Amino acid sequence: MIPLNEAQERVLAGCQVLDEAVVPIGRARGLVTAETVAAPEMVPPFDNTAMDGFAVRSADVADAPVTLAIAGTLAAGSAPHVTVGPGQAVRIMTGAVIPPGADAVVMVELTEAAPDDATVMVSESVPVGNHIRRAGEDLVVGQTVFEPGEVLTPGHLGVLASLGRYQVRVYRRARVGVMSTGDELVEGPEPLGAGQIRDSNRHTLLALLAEAGCEPVDLGRIPDDEEAIATGIRTGVDTCDALLTSGGVSMGDYDYVKKVLNEIGDMSWMQVAIKPAKPLAFGRVEGIPVFGLPGNPVSSMVSFELFARPGLRKMMGHPADGWHRPPVAGRMAEPLRRRADGKTHFARVRVDYADGRYRVRSAGGQGSHQLSAMAAADALAVLPDGDGLDTGDDVSLLILR
Ligand code: AMP
Ligand code: MG
């Protein structure tokens, strides 16, 4: 067996960053910038008011309460077509341009307009600049807004839109194929025949890929047949940036995925000192990374988390500190037992947040076939080799949501 970090390093070494692409911001969420974005214009583009109220000359209201003549109204979106002369005020709405002559805004709550709207009484004095948002206060022209390697969140996309940047150069989204293998696998509502089960891994893995920001490609179910598997893998590597297979990589007589990958790929077969997901096949077929994930449903998910997701994130340009899920501290709210076996166990757990930290309980049956506990899990708890953890023990968590 090899330690987890060694297996992860081997996988990451075989995953190269994809090429760059210019994509519309509507399709860029979660992708990583491959350019330095500089501001082509100021944000805000002009001095404007942060409040509904009256634009005034600060000096005019120094001896408030005072009454000023209303010279006009400025709405957001209109050009500043009125000037504020001495003794005057302009009614102004949030976001509207500060009109020439004004140097402050009095919020509407501190004013009272006459019934004929000819004058306004201002009840308090305000300093120069009051409630004025200055041009360029967020971004100035030429300023570096994003460096390469920035993961684009909704806020980033908003910043780009605010600058009129509707396209951005990023590392390409990985197209990742998923195929499940096994003669026992069926799909559909029909009653199961003898020995049959329904394919769950393919759906799980396609959804995990979508969640990881990849473009999932469904390559279907493949029977335990050498030729069919070889054809499936070749099609996959011809059309995708990476490939996930499920099943057929253990020691069984019909584990042909292993045989085929050995023939057509440059694979390493690892026994990783973890449970679940000890066996891992990783390598390249025609230069395309292929993850041979185990068939047991929990194992395939944990293997995806620990190996495929980090590798795919590297491929999509994520900086190194964003490849793995960060370990988060929690505390056991009940014992979680295990046996010493030289492996690190990843237990499926539920967490809640109490007294400023995560409280951790088992999510249910810990067998690698018990997918319902994986579905119920908020996190994987890292159980170091030994006999497990007691109530009150500190525990390291990989939060999954
Ligand atoms: P294998 O890795 O092919 O030896 O499969 C290990 C276990 O996982 C067996 O019990 C399989 O029936 C099960 N299994 C394999 N593929 C899937 C799948 N796509 N969905 C659900 N269970 C699967
Ligand atoms: Mg099988």
Side-chain angles (χ1 to χ4, degrees), residues 180-181 184-185 197-202 246-250 255 294-297:
S180 51
T181 69
E184 73 277 36
L185 303 177
I197 60 167
R198 294 196 172 84
D199 179 5
S200 62
N201 290 352
R202 193 160 45 89
S246 129
V249 293
S250 352
D255 286 335
N296 275 309

PDB file of all heavy atoms in Angstrom, residues 180-181 184-185 197-202 246-250 255 294-297, ligand 1:
ATOM      1  N   SER A 180     -19.881   3.321 -17.047  1.00  0.00           N
ATOM      2  CA  SER A 180     -19.926   2.289 -16.012  1.00  0.00           C
ATOM      3  C   SER A 180     -19.816   0.944 -16.698  1.00  0.00           C
ATOM      4  O   SER A 180     -20.304   0.752 -17.819  1.00  0.00           O
ATOM      5  CB  SER A 180     -21.210   2.397 -15.192  1.00  0.00           C
ATOM      6  OG  SER A 180     -22.331   2.453 -16.021  1.00  0.00           O
ATOM      7  N   THR A 181     -19.154   0.024 -16.049  1.00  0.00           N
ATOM      8  CA  THR A 181     -18.972  -1.311 -16.617  1.00  0.00           C
ATOM      9  C   THR A 181     -19.522  -2.362 -15.669  1.00  0.00           C
ATOM     10  O   THR A 181     -19.460  -2.202 -14.458  1.00  0.00           O
ATOM     11  CB  THR A 181     -17.482  -1.622 -16.851  1.00  0.00           C
ATOM     12  OG1 THR A 181     -16.829  -1.755 -15.588  1.00  0.00           O
ATOM     13  CG2 THR A 181     -16.812  -0.534 -17.661  1.00  0.00           C
ATOM     14  N   GLU A 184     -23.899  -6.888 -14.695  1.00  0.00           N
ATOM     15  CA  GLU A 184     -25.045  -6.878 -13.784  1.00  0.00           C
ATOM     16  C   GLU A 184     -25.853  -5.588 -13.863  1.00  0.00           C
ATOM     17  O   GLU A 184     -26.935  -5.497 -13.299  1.00  0.00           O
ATOM     18  CB  GLU A 184     -24.564  -7.104 -12.332  1.00  0.00           C
ATOM     19  CG  GLU A 184     -23.837  -5.922 -11.667  1.00  0.00           C
ATOM     20  CD  GLU A 184     -22.334  -5.836 -12.015  1.00  0.00           C
ATOM     21  OE1 GLU A 184     -21.971  -6.155 -13.158  1.00  0.00           O
ATOM     22  OE2 GLU A 184     -21.559  -5.389 -11.158  1.00  0.00           O
ATOM     23  N   LEU A 185     -25.328  -4.592 -14.565  1.00  0.00           N
ATOM     24  CA  LEU A 185     -25.944  -3.260 -14.507  1.00  0.00           C
ATOM     25  C   LEU A 185     -27.085  -3.122 -15.505  1.00  0.00           C
ATOM     26  O   LEU A 185     -26.935  -3.446 -16.682  1.00  0.00           O
ATOM     27  CB  LEU A 185     -24.897  -2.182 -14.790  1.00  0.00           C
ATOM     28  CG  LEU A 185     -23.683  -2.179 -13.862  1.00  0.00           C
ATOM     29  CD1 LEU A 185     -22.696  -1.098 -14.303  1.00  0.00           C
ATOM     30  CD2 LEU A 185     -24.117  -1.972 -12.415  1.00  0.00           C
ATOM     31  N   ILE A 197     -28.449  -5.418 -10.914  1.00  0.00           N
ATOM     32  CA  ILE A 197     -28.659  -4.221 -10.082  1.00  0.00           C
ATOM     33  C   ILE A 197     -28.779  -3.026 -11.017  1.00  0.00           C
ATOM     34  O   ILE A 197     -28.398  -3.101 -12.193  1.00  0.00           O
ATOM     35  CB  ILE A 197     -27.494  -3.977  -9.089  1.00  0.00           C
ATOM     36  CG1 ILE A 197     -26.169  -3.776  -9.845  1.00  0.00           C
ATOM     37  CG2 ILE A 197     -27.361  -5.124  -8.098  1.00  0.00           C
ATOM     38  CD1 ILE A 197     -25.056  -3.240  -8.976  1.00  0.00           C
ATOM     39  N   ARG A 198     -29.285  -1.950 -10.486  1.00  0.00           N
ATOM     40  CA  ARG A 198     -29.398  -0.749 -11.318  1.00  0.00           C
ATOM     41  C   ARG A 198     -28.112   0.057 -11.229  1.00  0.00           C
ATOM     42  O   ARG A 198     -27.498   0.145 -10.165  1.00  0.00           O
ATOM     43  CB  ARG A 198     -30.597   0.092 -10.889  1.00  0.00           C
ATOM     44  CG  ARG A 198     -31.913  -0.626 -11.151  1.00  0.00           C
ATOM     45  CD  ARG A 198     -33.116   0.295 -11.117  1.00  0.00           C
ATOM     46  NE  ARG A 198     -34.285  -0.452 -11.569  1.00  0.00           N
ATOM     47  CZ  ARG A 198     -35.013  -1.234 -10.788  1.00  0.00           C
ATOM     48  NH1 ARG A 198     -34.718  -1.325  -9.507  1.00  0.00           N
ATOM     49  NH2 ARG A 198     -36.030  -1.905 -11.280  1.00  0.00           N
ATOM     50  N   ASP A 199     -27.717   0.585 -12.345  1.00  0.00           N
ATOM     51  CA  ASP A 199     -26.494   1.398 -12.422  1.00  0.00           C
ATOM     52  C   ASP A 199     -26.708   2.698 -11.641  1.00  0.00           C
ATOM     53  O   ASP A 199     -27.548   3.514 -12.002  1.00  0.00           O
ATOM     54  CB  ASP A 199     -26.215   1.708 -13.898  1.00  0.00           C
ATOM     55  CG  ASP A 199     -24.986   2.580 -14.087  1.00  0.00           C
ATOM     56  OD1 ASP A 199     -24.290   2.864 -13.092  1.00  0.00           O
ATOM     57  OD2 ASP A 199     -24.728   2.968 -15.242  1.00  0.00           O
ATOM     58  N   SER A 200     -25.979   2.873 -10.567  1.00  0.00           N
ATOM     59  CA  SER A 200     -26.069   4.157  -9.850  1.00  0.00           C
ATOM     60  C   SER A 200     -24.813   4.999 -10.059  1.00  0.00           C
ATOM     61  O   SER A 200     -24.886   6.226 -10.116  1.00  0.00           O
ATOM     62  CB  SER A 200     -26.300   3.923  -8.355  1.00  0.00           C
ATOM     63  OG  SER A 200     -25.216   3.212  -7.785  1.00  0.00           O
ATOM     64  N   ASN A 201     -23.678   4.364 -10.208  1.00  0.00           N
ATOM     65  CA  ASN A 201     -22.415   5.123 -10.231  1.00  0.00           C
ATOM     66  C   ASN A 201     -22.353   6.156 -11.353  1.00  0.00           C
ATOM     67  O   ASN A 201     -21.811   7.242 -11.166  1.00  0.00           O
ATOM     68  CB  ASN A 201     -21.223   4.169 -10.415  1.00  0.00           C
ATOM     69  CG  ASN A 201     -20.983   3.330  -9.185  1.00  0.00           C
ATOM     70  OD1 ASN A 201     -21.607   3.554  -8.155  1.00  0.00           O
ATOM     71  ND2 ASN A 201     -20.089   2.368  -9.288  1.00  0.00           N
ATOM     72  N   ARG A 202     -22.882   5.785 -12.492  1.00  0.00           N
ATOM     73  CA  ARG A 202     -22.769   6.698 -13.635  1.00  0.00           C
ATOM     74  C   ARG A 202     -23.497   8.004 -13.322  1.00  0.00           C
ATOM     75  O   ARG A 202     -22.983   9.091 -13.594  1.00  0.00           O
ATOM     76  CB  ARG A 202     -23.352   6.044 -14.894  1.00  0.00           C
ATOM     77  CG  ARG A 202     -23.016   6.741 -16.194  1.00  0.00           C
ATOM     78  CD  ARG A 202     -23.198   5.777 -17.360  1.00  0.00           C
ATOM     79  NE  ARG A 202     -24.433   5.029 -17.230  1.00  0.00           N
ATOM     80  CZ  ARG A 202     -25.621   5.429 -17.709  1.00  0.00           C
ATOM     81  NH1 ARG A 202     -25.721   6.565 -18.356  1.00  0.00           N
ATOM     82  NH2 ARG A 202     -26.693   4.688 -17.528  1.00  0.00           N
ATOM     83  N   SER A 246     -16.082   3.200 -14.113  1.00  0.00           N
ATOM     84  CA  SER A 246     -16.459   2.635 -12.823  1.00  0.00           C
ATOM     85  C   SER A 246     -16.558   1.131 -12.955  1.00  0.00           C
ATOM     86  O   SER A 246     -17.151   0.621 -13.905  1.00  0.00           O
ATOM     87  CB  SER A 246     -17.780   3.258 -12.371  1.00  0.00           C
ATOM     88  OG  SER A 246     -18.713   2.283 -12.004  1.00  0.00           O
ATOM     89  N   GLY A 247     -15.934   0.435 -12.027  1.00  0.00           N
ATOM     90  CA  GLY A 247     -16.000  -1.025 -11.982  1.00  0.00           C
ATOM     91  C   GLY A 247     -14.897  -1.681 -12.788  1.00  0.00           C
ATOM     92  O   GLY A 247     -14.191  -1.040 -13.575  1.00  0.00           O
ATOM     93  N   GLY A 248     -14.756  -2.979 -12.545  1.00  0.00           N
ATOM     94  CA  GLY A 248     -13.870  -3.781 -13.366  1.00  0.00           C
ATOM     95  C   GLY A 248     -12.387  -3.576 -13.143  1.00  0.00           C
ATOM     96  O   GLY A 248     -11.586  -3.947 -13.999  1.00  0.00           O
ATOM     97  N   VAL A 249     -12.017  -2.981 -12.011  1.00  0.00           N
ATOM     98  CA  VAL A 249     -10.587  -2.758 -11.779  1.00  0.00           C
ATOM     99  C   VAL A 249     -10.064  -3.540 -10.576  1.00  0.00           C
ATOM    100  O   VAL A 249      -8.967  -3.290 -10.105  1.00  0.00           O
ATOM    101  CB  VAL A 249     -10.255  -1.251 -11.606  1.00  0.00           C
ATOM    102  CG1 VAL A 249     -10.491  -0.500 -12.894  1.00  0.00           C
ATOM    103  CG2 VAL A 249     -11.036  -0.631 -10.463  1.00  0.00           C
ATOM    104  N   SER A 250     -10.886  -4.489 -10.072  1.00  0.00           N
ATOM    105  CA  SER A 250     -10.382  -5.264  -8.936  1.00  0.00           C
ATOM    106  C   SER A 250      -9.739  -6.564  -9.429  1.00  0.00           C
ATOM    107  O   SER A 250      -9.276  -6.643 -10.562  1.00  0.00           O
ATOM    108  CB  SER A 250     -11.490  -5.540  -7.910  1.00  0.00           C
ATOM    109  OG  SER A 250     -12.654  -4.854  -8.215  1.00  0.00           O
ATOM    110  N   ASP A 255     -12.900  -8.650 -14.591  1.00  0.00           N
ATOM    111  CA  ASP A 255     -12.494  -7.258 -14.442  1.00  0.00           C
ATOM    112  C   ASP A 255     -11.664  -6.823 -15.657  1.00  0.00           C
ATOM    113  O   ASP A 255     -10.453  -6.603 -15.580  1.00  0.00           O
ATOM    114  CB  ASP A 255     -11.736  -7.048 -13.124  1.00  0.00           C
ATOM    115  CG  ASP A 255     -12.686  -7.076 -11.931  1.00  0.00           C
ATOM    116  OD1 ASP A 255     -13.883  -6.776 -12.135  1.00  0.00           O
ATOM    117  OD2 ASP A 255     -12.255  -7.390 -10.819  1.00  0.00           O
ATOM    118  N   PRO A 294     -13.220   2.351  -8.535  1.00  0.00           N
ATOM    119  CA  PRO A 294     -13.810   1.081  -8.116  1.00  0.00           C
ATOM    120  C   PRO A 294     -15.322   1.076  -8.305  1.00  0.00           C
ATOM    121  O   PRO A 294     -15.953   2.139  -8.367  1.00  0.00           O
ATOM    122  CB  PRO A 294     -13.442   0.982  -6.633  1.00  0.00           C
ATOM    123  CG  PRO A 294     -12.839   2.273  -6.230  1.00  0.00           C
ATOM    124  CD  PRO A 294     -12.626   3.114  -7.438  1.00  0.00           C
ATOM    125  N   GLY A 295     -15.900  -0.119  -8.394  1.00  0.00           N
ATOM    126  CA  GLY A 295     -17.327  -0.231  -8.668  1.00  0.00           C
ATOM    127  C   GLY A 295     -18.219   0.001  -7.465  1.00  0.00           C
ATOM    128  O   GLY A 295     -19.349   0.479  -7.610  1.00  0.00           O
ATOM    129  N   ASN A 296     -17.724  -0.322  -6.280  1.00  0.00           N
ATOM    130  CA  ASN A 296     -18.582  -0.105  -5.113  1.00  0.00           C
ATOM    131  C   ASN A 296     -18.966   1.366  -5.032  1.00  0.00           C
ATOM    132  O   ASN A 296     -18.102   2.241  -5.124  1.00  0.00           O
ATOM    133  CB  ASN A 296     -17.857  -0.539  -3.841  1.00  0.00           C
ATOM    134  CG  ASN A 296     -18.027  -2.024  -3.602  1.00  0.00           C
ATOM    135  OD1 ASN A 296     -19.146  -2.537  -3.622  1.00  0.00           O
ATOM    136  ND2 ASN A 296     -16.922  -2.718  -3.398  1.00  0.00           N
ATOM    137  N   PRO A 297     -20.262   1.627  -4.891  1.00  0.00           N
ATOM    138  CA  PRO A 297     -20.740   3.005  -5.029  1.00  0.00           C
ATOM    139  C   PRO A 297     -20.079   4.017  -4.093  1.00  0.00           C
ATOM    140  O   PRO A 297     -19.729   5.119  -4.527  1.00  0.00           O
ATOM    141  CB  PRO A 297     -22.241   2.874  -4.739  1.00  0.00           C
ATOM    142  CG  PRO A 297     -22.576   1.495  -5.186  1.00  0.00           C
ATOM    143  CD  PRO A 297     -21.373   0.655  -4.834  1.00  0.00           C
TER     144      PRO A 297
HETATM  145  P1  AMP B   1     -16.397  -4.204  -9.510  1.00  0.00           P
HETATM  146  O1  AMP B   1     -15.482  -3.071  -9.168  1.00  0.00           O
HETATM  147  O2  AMP B   1     -16.771  -4.233 -10.939  1.00  0.00           O
HETATM  148  O3  AMP B   1     -15.823  -5.499  -9.034  1.00  0.00           O
HETATM  149  O4  AMP B   1     -17.714  -3.945  -8.685  1.00  0.00           O
HETATM  150  C1  AMP B   1     -17.717  -3.910  -7.285  1.00  0.00           C
HETATM  151  C2  AMP B   1     -19.134  -3.835  -6.761  1.00  0.00           C
HETATM  152  O5  AMP B   1     -19.727  -2.615  -7.180  1.00  0.00           O
HETATM  153  C3  AMP B   1     -20.045  -4.932  -7.267  1.00  0.00           C
HETATM  154  O6  AMP B   1     -20.921  -5.298  -6.231  1.00  0.00           O
HETATM  155  C4  AMP B   1     -20.793  -4.276  -8.404  1.00  0.00           C
HETATM  156  O7  AMP B   1     -22.027  -4.884  -8.683  1.00  0.00           O
HETATM  157  C5  AMP B   1     -20.948  -2.861  -7.888  1.00  0.00           C
HETATM  158  N1  AMP B   1     -21.053  -1.926  -8.990  1.00  0.00           N
HETATM  159  C6  AMP B   1     -20.215  -1.858 -10.047  1.00  0.00           C
HETATM  160  N2  AMP B   1     -20.575  -0.881 -10.887  1.00  0.00           N
HETATM  161  C7  AMP B   1     -21.687  -0.318 -10.350  1.00  0.00           C
HETATM  162  C8  AMP B   1     -22.530   0.755 -10.765  1.00  0.00           C
HETATM  163  N3  AMP B   1     -22.310   1.417 -11.890  1.00  0.00           N
HETATM  164  N4  AMP B   1     -23.590   1.066  -9.974  1.00  0.00           N
HETATM  165  C9  AMP B   1     -23.784   0.395  -8.827  1.00  0.00           C
HETATM  166  N5  AMP B   1     -23.019  -0.611  -8.381  1.00  0.00           N
HETATM  167  C10 AMP B   1     -21.982  -0.979  -9.132  1.00  0.00           C
END
